[in-house]
Amino acid sequence: MTDASKLYAELITSIGEDINRDGLQKTPERAAKAFSFLTQGYQQSLEDIVNGAVFDSSNDEMVVVKDIEFYSLCEHHMLPFVGKAHVAYLPQGKVLGLSKIARITDMYARRLQIQENMTKQIADAIQAVTGAVGVGVVLEAQHFCMMMRGVQKQHSSTVTSMMLGEFRENSRTRQEFLQLIK
Ligand SMILES: [Zn+2]
């Protein structure tokens, strides 16, 4: 048994369950494996994820990747929050492989997070990797800690945004982005 699966066994026992009953025998190992997958972002770095996929380009028009689904865990309750990320940047000489934007989103999602910080981390990463004139990131998510417990609101969603450079300073750029992700 790994450390994490021992801890899951204790946790299950602590709620009064019988760890030896048929359905639960392998649960600690399965749960530990799932938890390790859901937090694998800690084992990844921006450099590894990007892996050289930054290319010279004369394109200076806005690049938008929208509706990137993500699954994260809130750092306050370790319950899921799930939603979509919309990411845009204005290149100046360099573009990033499109799938990398989704991978960067996943790397930050698969850590213990709050949505506000995750939004900023994605924006800062895109900025650092591309040297873009501006970056815009909008995240919309539903938080299970609000749905299953606490205020028990099933239909509210939380929207966070981070605008850097031109997206912060130029309202037309920002509007174009917000229009494109509607
Ligand atoms: Zn929470």
Side-chain angles (χ1 to χ4, degrees), residues 8 17 21 28-29 31 41 53-54 79 85 87 102 106 118 126 133 149 151 155 161-162 167 170 172 182:
Y8 272 113
E17 263 290 1
R21 77 174 170 83
E29 281 102 272
V54 181
L79 286 171
V87 179
D106 280 343
M118 186 177 148
I126 303 291
V133 182
R149 55 161 292 288
V151 292
H155 304 292
S161 73
M162 177 57 60
F167 286 72
N170 185 334
R172 284 181 60 185
K182 253 187 191 163

Side-chain angles (χ1 to χ4, degrees), residues 36-76:
S36 157
F37 176 81
L38 297 175
T39 56
Q40 69 181 358
Y42 290 111
Q43 318 305 325
Q44 299 170 329
S45 72
L46 188 54
E47 208 180 17
D48 293 342
I49 293 283
V50 173
N51 192 25
V54 181
F55 308 102
D56 291 337
S57 169
S58 58
N59 174 33
D60 59 359
E61 294 295 322
M62 189 181 294
V63 178
V64 183
V65 182
K66 63 177 190 174
D67 297 328
I68 304 166
E69 66 191 271
F70 69 81
Y71 302 86
S72 190
L73 291 173
C74 83
E75 67 186 24
H76 299 139

Side-chain angles (χ1 to χ4, degrees), residues 9-28:
E10 263 182 59
L11 190 65
I12 293 165
T13 306
S14 79
I15 59 169
E17 263 290 1
D18 173 10
I19 197 68
N20 294 314
R21 77 174 170 83
D22 196 44
L24 288 179
Q25 277 179 17
K26 291 200 165 148
T27 298

Side-chain angles (χ1 to χ4, degrees), residues 74-81 113 143-146 149:
C74 83
E75 67 186 24
H76 299 139
H77 306 93
M78 297 207 299
L79 286 171
F81 66 99
Q113 279 289 9
H143 291 251
F144 281 63
C145 59
M146 281 178 68
R149 55 161 292 288

Side-chain angles (χ1 to χ4, degrees), residues 148-160:
M148 295 174 72
R149 55 161 292 288
V151 292
Q152 298 179 48
K153 295 297 172 222
Q154 274 80 41
H155 304 292
S156 74
S157 66
T158 304
V159 180
T160 49

